[in-house]
Amino acid sequence: VYTWVSRGDTFKKIQDKLKRWQYFSGTVDGIYGHQTMEAVKFFQKKNGLYVDGIAGQKTLEALGIFENEEQVPAPAVSNRENDIWMLACLINGEARGEAYAGQVAVGAVVMNRARSASFPNTVSGVIYQPGAFDAVKDGQFELEPTESCIRAARDAFNGFDPTKGALYYWNPKTATNKWVLGIPVTVVIGNHNFGIR
């Protein structure tokens, strides 16, 4: 458990991940100060974890940090890796031509939907929801994902969200569903608009 005044290499890993995913703007110094505690709380809140600012086992797992892999239950690791793989396949089918931020953003929409009461509450449920993603319908979901898409899936799964909570994305040049054009745009990343309805 890592908390106030904790320090060391593991805490540097925690700070580094929080910084890469834009939860933390301080220096990666391996010291758990007030700014880091607030970043951990923000990460916990965004990822449906108990918000206490303490980097315990569940928070570390959500960050993808396992100090002793043997202590992590095998099904949890297996399900996590399966979800990340499916997410990578979807990103590959929907956004492999986009810049890295755009690939992460597509994955973030899936994760945001899984946390929303308006959608299925699992990654697979969101991906396989009928009519949700063209890549599932046209078979591109079945293609081998690129390394970039796998990295993007891992970052999105672990909480990096450049979309600011978006539940939808679309390419305004190719969108055929007119209702999607009425969704307020919160951010534009590459060829996609992102928004919340």
Side-chain angles (χ1 to χ4, degrees):
V1 173
Y2 295 84
T3 184
W4 190 256
V5 302
S6 293
R7 57 184 66 216
D9 289 340
T10 298
F11 208 77
K12 278 187 180 176
K13 286 183 196 172
I14 294 169
Q15 289 177 317
D16 180 60
K17 291 216 173 192
L18 291 170
K19 186 157 190 158
R20 280 195 297 128
W21 300 335
Q22 300 177 352
Y23 289 97
F24 176 64
S25 58
T27 304
V28 176
D29 56 11
I31 300 170
Y32 195 128
H34 178 74
Q35 190 177 9
T36 308
M37 184 179 70
E38 291 304 313
V40 169
K41 283 183 178 178
F42 184 35
F43 175 80
Q44 289 169 328
K45 184 176 180 183
K46 286 283 285 179
N47 288 277
L49 299 164
Y50 181 70
V51 180
D52 58 6
I54 296 171
Q57 183 179 347
K58 288 190 189 238
T59 299
L60 290 173
E61 286 178 10
L63 285 164
I65 298 171
F66 302 99
E67 290 187 291
N68 184 349
E69 294 286 349
E70 291 176 3
Q71 291 179 343
V72 181
V77 173
S78 174
N79 289 341
R80 178 186 180 86
E81 290 306 312
N82 188 48
D83 283 351
I84 290 170
W85 181 257
M86 283 196 304
L87 198 55
C89 290
L90 182 78
I91 293 168
N92 189 68
E94 294 275 323
R96 67 181 168 274
E98 295 290 317
Y100 187 70
Q103 293 176 355
V104 175
V106 166
V109 167
V110 173
M111 299 309 298
N112 292 338
R113 286 186 181 189
R115 293 185 197 104
S116 168
S118 302
F119 294 91
N121 64 357
T122 63
V123 170
S124 61
V126 168
I127 289 173
Y128 287 113
Q129 187 174 25
F133 298 102
D134 288 340
V136 174
K137 189 167 52 177
D138 67 19
Q140 292 190 67
F141 176 72
E142 303 299 327
L143 300 174
E144 183 86 9
T146 66
E147 282 300 316
S148 176
C149 291
I150 293 169
R151 281 189 294 110
R154 199 169 294 282
D155 275 350
F157 189 87
N158 286 314
F160 181 24
D161 182 6
T163 75
K164 302 177 181 172
L167 294 172
Y168 300 93
Y169 65 87
W170 64 97
N171 183 328
K173 294 177 183 172
T174 61
T176 55
N177 292 331
K178 299 299 178 194
W179 68 269
V180 81
L181 300 176
I183 295 173
V185 176
T186 55
V187 65
V188 177
I189 303 173
N191 293 314
H192 288 120
N193 290 350
F194 294 82
I196 304 170
R197 190 168 121 183

